[in-house]
Amino acid sequence: MSKRLSTVNNMATFDEDADVPDLDSGSESDCEDERDWEEIEDGDSDGQEDEFHPLQGTVRCLFSNETLHSVEELLLRSKKCFNFDLVEACTVAGMDCISYIKMINFIRLEILHFDYQGQYKVELMVKDIESAITSPTTKMLASSSDNSSYLNHTSTALRAIGEGATGDGLKESEAVHALICSMQQVETERDFLREELSRALEQIEKLKIAGQEMLLRSSDNPISSKSEKLRSQSSSLSEEDGYFASYTHHDIHMTMLKDKVRTESYRDFMLKNPQLFEGKTMLDVGCGTGILSMFAVQAGASQVVAVDQSNIIYQAMDIARENGMHEKITFVKGRLEDVELPIQKFDIIVSEWMGYFLLFEAMLDSVLWARDRYLTPGGCVYPDHFSMKVVGMSDPELRKSKLEFWDDVYGFKMSCMKSSVSDEVNVRLVKDDLIITEPSVIKDLDVMQCTVSELDFTCEFSLKCKADGEITALVGYFDTDFIRGCTTKVNFSTGPEATPTHWEQAVMMLPTPVTVQKGKLRLC
């Protein structure tokens, strides 16, 4: 089986302009004559398909109801009987496909307004067509500025019509044939591009999902681990219990950026100690949105390399470009230990690596690895000093809600749950008036000297009591210092007495409250 196309009349069905009437005049003869495709039975004995001849088949005259046997006959009749050269009209007007279709629509529409035998009126209409073709203001032949790309293909075919205008009828037929073939080719290309776009969008969606799953599975990655913990446990600074608060990826970074104690301390360290950064190279470990890298550029760093494994690094690139710092900051996505950096040695390494109670879900091991691998002799890692501290807290209400709750749960005893609750660390804001001891330093960390093995430790400590009472829990926090080489030293604390930070405090419930007296030391 093969199919053949009745041209001219049928080409109008390609026009999708809502303002242009259909070529179909509504008459019964039109319904019979204007079928887009007709199936032809294969009569060849050898089973071969008929050749495709788009210029064969009956068509209706443009200016009468007469049925013609071919497009060639239609073109000749229009010239002889109505003094209208369709090919020349297209050439003179430099028509594209849409303009051509509009002209055919115009002819079909106007011919309905008078008797087909009115030869004089037909001649007047032909003059109107010619006038419309040459008029720059006419709407009938105006080509829309937002024509899709297929018009470029059809205009090529229309130019072929002009080239064939000086030849015989066969050349004109070939030109129209070229136009039809071009339209078919464009439709095929359009369908192909639609399929390609659909596949591309599907692949992008799969990549997004795969990236998210990879990020969630990477529990061994310090950067991802910290972000994961922040998602599940970070809380608002105005809330006391935000342990179960959940944050989206961007909310995590917003939470950290809104932590003024954290962010302004890093900013002040850099901008108030420009001698450390002027003309120097810096490595930003776990860069997030790139805020520390941009502070470094402000302080005079010549080149910054920012590394992060999470997808936020793509937004960080845009942020750097938006602020005109993209030429001085190079972003590298991946796990620090696995990627290759464009610079092999750095004068300064800066990182906001700290976790809850400093070391809980922190990424200090990556920072120490970077120190040993990338830091130049005489260089420094910042912050360079930390103190881990513990204080005693008296909060009977918290103990009741967390431990004594299990003594009577709707009339049932569940005391076996207490031991597991005591082993848990609650991250929350602790009110300063609940603290009844002086702080005790349990660990000092010099980042320039410490090793990974030192991060797993046990120690004894004592607490000096400030008041009589019962210690129901120990509260852990840390202090941070920017010291080495600084003319202006900067530090901040995450303790209960300080301005709240997103780190809050780590509360460790005691299995049994400990009674203390003011001024006494309690060995732990």
Side-chain angles (χ1 to χ4, degrees):
M1 301 291 290
S2 65
K3 297 184 179 180
R4 89 188 153 204
L5 177 68
S6 294
T7 59
V8 183
N9 291 339
N10 298 330
M11 253 194 269
T13 61
F14 186 78
D15 187 11
E16 298 179 356
D17 192 337
D19 295 331
V20 179
D22 294 336
L23 293 186
D24 186 2
S25 66
S27 65
E28 292 182 2
S29 60
D30 287 343
C31 294
E32 294 173 357
D33 293 339
E34 295 182 6
R35 291 192 181 112
D36 288 345
W37 300 91
E38 40 180 77
E39 295 187 351
I40 303 176
E41 296 294 335
D42 187 356
D44 296 341
S45 59
D46 58 357
Q48 297 290 330
E49 288 191 352
D50 291 343
E51 234 181 277
F52 177 58
H53 297 292
L55 300 181
Q56 293 181 359
T58 59
V59 293
R60 184 163 61 84
C61 176
L62 285 173
F63 304 104
S64 72
N65 272 335
E66 184 176 350
T67 299
L68 307 175
H69 293 91
S70 68
V71 174
E72 296 175 28
E73 187 177 349
L74 179 145
L75 296 173
L76 292 172
R77 177 175 172 78
S78 296
K79 283 183 184 179
K80 279 186 176 182
C81 300
F82 302 102
N83 196 28
F84 179 68
D85 190 332
L86 177 61
V87 175
E88 183 179 359
C90 293
T91 305
V92 171
M95 291 185 192
D96 57 16
C97 183
I98 297 299
S99 299
Y100 170 75
I101 293 170
K102 288 182 178 180
M103 181 182 71
I104 297 299
N105 280 330
F106 176 79
I107 295 171
R108 293 294 188 212
L109 181 64
E110 291 297 315
I111 204 70
L112 295 176
H113 297 327
F114 52 84
D115 184 351
Y116 287 113
Q117 303 304 319
Q119 181 68 28
Y120 174 71
K121 293 183 178 180
V122 170
E123 291 175 358
L124 288 178
M125 188 187 72
V126 169
K127 291 182 179 179
D128 290 340
I129 295 171
E130 293 172 347
S131 175
I133 290 173
T134 57
S135 173
T137 59
T138 179
K139 293 182 179 179
M140 180 187 79
L141 300 177
S143 178
S144 172
S145 62
D146 62 349
N147 286 340
S148 56
S149 59
Y150 75 80
L151 292 182
N152 293 327
H153 297 276
T154 55
S155 62
T156 302
L158 285 167
R159 282 196 297 272
I161 293 177
E163 293 170 0
T166 57
D168 55 19
L170 181 58
K171 288 186 178 181
E172 294 173 355
S173 300
E174 289 174 348
V176 177
H177 184 194
L179 173 62
I180 297 168
C181 292
S182 178
M183 291 170 63
Q184 293 172 335
Q185 179 184 356
V186 168
E187 288 178 351
T188 302
E189 292 176 357
R190 177 201 62 196
D191 293 340
F192 173 76
L193 290 174
R194 282 179 177 172
E195 291 177 4
E196 287 295 303
L197 177 60
S198 178
R199 279 194 290 269
L201 292 174
E202 184 178 350
Q203 289 298 320
I204 289 172
E205 190 62 30
K206 287 181 180 178
L207 285 172
K208 284 182 180 179
I209 295 172
Q212 291 169 355
E213 291 176 350
M214 188 187 303
L215 188 66
L216 293 174
R217 287 196 303 265
S218 300
S219 58
D220 60 331
N221 171 41
I223 300 175
S224 296
S225 297
K226 182 178 180 186
S227 296
E228 189 71 14
K229 193 65 181 179
L230 278 168
R231 271 193 291 270
S232 63
Q233 293 189 347
S234 181
S235 68
S236 169
L237 299 181
S238 62
E239 296 176 344
E240 280 201 70
D241 192 354
Y243 184 80
F244 297 102
S246 177
Y247 292 89
T248 62
H249 184 67
H250 292 86
D251 283 340
I252 297 166
H253 296 281
M254 182 183 293
T255 298
M256 292 189 289
L257 290 171
K258 284 184 174 181
D259 185 345
K260 289 189 175 183
V261 173
R262 162 199 179 268
T263 308
E264 291 182 0
S265 293
Y266 277 88
R267 181 199 63 188
D268 292 346
F269 151 66
M270 296 186 194
L271 300 187
K272 292 180 180 181
N273 294 282
Q275 77 282 356
L276 296 175
F277 293 88
E278 189 67 42
K280 301 295 181 63
T281 56
M282 189 190 94
L283 173 62
D284 183 354
V285 180
C287 65
T289 58
I291 186 71
L292 302 187
S293 296
M294 292 191 290
F295 285 153
V297 172
Q298 280 188 331
S302 61
Q303 191 66 41
V304 178
V305 175
V307 182
D308 202 306
Q309 187 169 359
S310 69
N311 288 336
I312 193 65
I313 198 167
Y314 299 121
Q315 279 73 41
M317 293 176 186
D318 293 336
I319 292 169
R321 182 172 295 278
E322 185 177 6
N323 289 277
M325 297 184 177
H326 56 286
E327 293 184 354
K328 290 195 172 183
I329 304 175
T330 302
F331 293 91
V332 178
K333 186 179 187 301
R335 187 170 176 265
L336 179 63
E337 292 84 348
D338 299 333
V339 298
E340 287 190 17
L341 303 185
I343 299 175
Q344 294 305 305
K345 291 295 180 180
F346 295 88
D347 301 306
I348 299 170
I349 296 176
V350 171
S351 178
E352 192 276 84
W353 57 266
M354 299 84 79
Y356 302 110
F357 197 14
L358 188 63
L359 298 179
F360 185 63
E361 295 290 349
M363 45 177 277
L364 179 55
D365 53 346
S366 289
V367 175
L368 298 182
W369 186 89
R371 177 199 67 189
D372 298 337
R373 169 68 176 81
Y374 290 113
L375 192 64
T376 59
C380 190
V381 179
Y382 293 99
D384 55 305
H385 182 266
F386 297 89
S387 297
M388 298 178 67
K389 297 181 178 181
V390 173
V391 293
M393 177 180 74
S394 180
D395 190 351
E397 291 300 320
L398 178 62
R399 177 180 175 79
K400 183 177 180 180
S401 67
K402 295 291 185 181
L403 287 175
E404 295 178 9
F405 165 79
W406 301 104
D407 290 334
D408 184 358
V409 183
Y410 299 99
F412 298 100
K413 292 183 178 181
M414 300 185 181
S415 56
C416 62
M417 297 293 294
K418 288 184 178 182
S419 59
S420 58
V421 173
S422 299
D423 293 337
E424 292 178 351
V425 175
N426 292 286
V427 178
R428 57 189 295 116
L429 285 173
V430 175
K431 293 180 180 179
D432 186 32
D433 58 9
L434 297 175
I435 303 303
I436 62 172
T437 74
E438 299 289 346
S440 178
V441 177
I442 64 170
K443 186 73 172 177
D444 273 317
L445 280 178
D446 182 345
V447 180
M448 289 298 296
Q449 302 295 328
C450 72
T451 61
V452 173
S453 61
E454 295 177 36
L455 305 182
D456 187 4
F457 65 93
T458 59
C459 71
E460 292 185 352
F461 60 93
S462 59
L463 294 172
K464 184 177 181 180
C465 302
K466 300 191 296 184
D468 296 340
E470 285 186 335
I471 299 177
T472 60
L474 297 178
V475 178
Y477 62 95
F478 64 92
D479 293 345
T480 304
D481 302 298
F482 301 84
I483 300 174
R484 194 182 300 262
C486 296
T487 55
T488 302
K489 294 178 173 58
V490 176
N491 59 76
F492 66 87
S493 175
T494 62
E497 80 290 347
T499 303
T501 69
H502 78 279
W503 286 285
E504 303 178 304
Q505 290 87 42
V507 178
M508 297 157 279
M509 305 293 296
L510 298 179
T512 304
V514 177
T515 302
V516 296
Q517 293 180 341
K518 182 179 179 179
K520 300 289 185 177
L521 290 176
R522 184 71 190 190
L523 186 63
C524 300

